Amino acid sequence: SKGALARGQELGTRMARHHPKDPHLYLFAITTRAAARGKGVGKALLDPVLAHADREGLAVYLENSNPVNSGFYAARGFERTGFFEVGEGGPIMEPMCRAPS
């Protein structure tokens, strides 16, 4: 619907405001099933991305929508750069960035 399209465009605009200006890799989504959490699956998914970013000298940026995951990302070198709302009834997003090592 027209309303959904407008909301999607507004969300994209809000998210783009928080992206780093320098070249970076954008981690759009990473998820695991509840039964797989705490078993290294997320780490196995993320580690090759971080290794590639490090080889290329690129930062990695993401928007975390679940505060439970903040520690997972922080343990891998991500730092919070702020917070923003995606819209009425939506989650609070936590933009996070990791410099190459």
Side-chain angles (χ1 to χ4, degrees), residues 8-88:
Q9 288 174 325
E10 172 58 24
L11 174 58
T13 299
R14 285 182 193 207
M15 292 172 76
R17 285 186 212 131
H18 297 276
H19 281 240
K21 303 301 179 221
D22 295 330
H24 63 281
L25 297 180
Y26 176 44
L27 184 62
F28 179 73
I30 183 173
T31 188
T32 58
R33 292 177 181 250
R37 292 189 190 127
K39 297 180 180 173
V41 175
K43 183 179 181 316
L45 291 170
L46 189 57
D47 281 354
V49 175
L50 300 181
H52 174 76
D54 289 345
R55 283 191 305 275
E56 298 297 320
L58 292 170
V60 181
Y61 171 80
L62 59 85
E63 293 107 359
N64 177 23
S65 62
N66 185 346
V68 170
N69 297 329
S70 297
F72 171 82
Y73 293 120
R76 282 146 189 86
F78 285 86
E79 296 182 8
R80 177 187 312 129
T81 61
F83 290 101
F84 68 95
E85 295 181 10
V86 296
E88 187 177 329

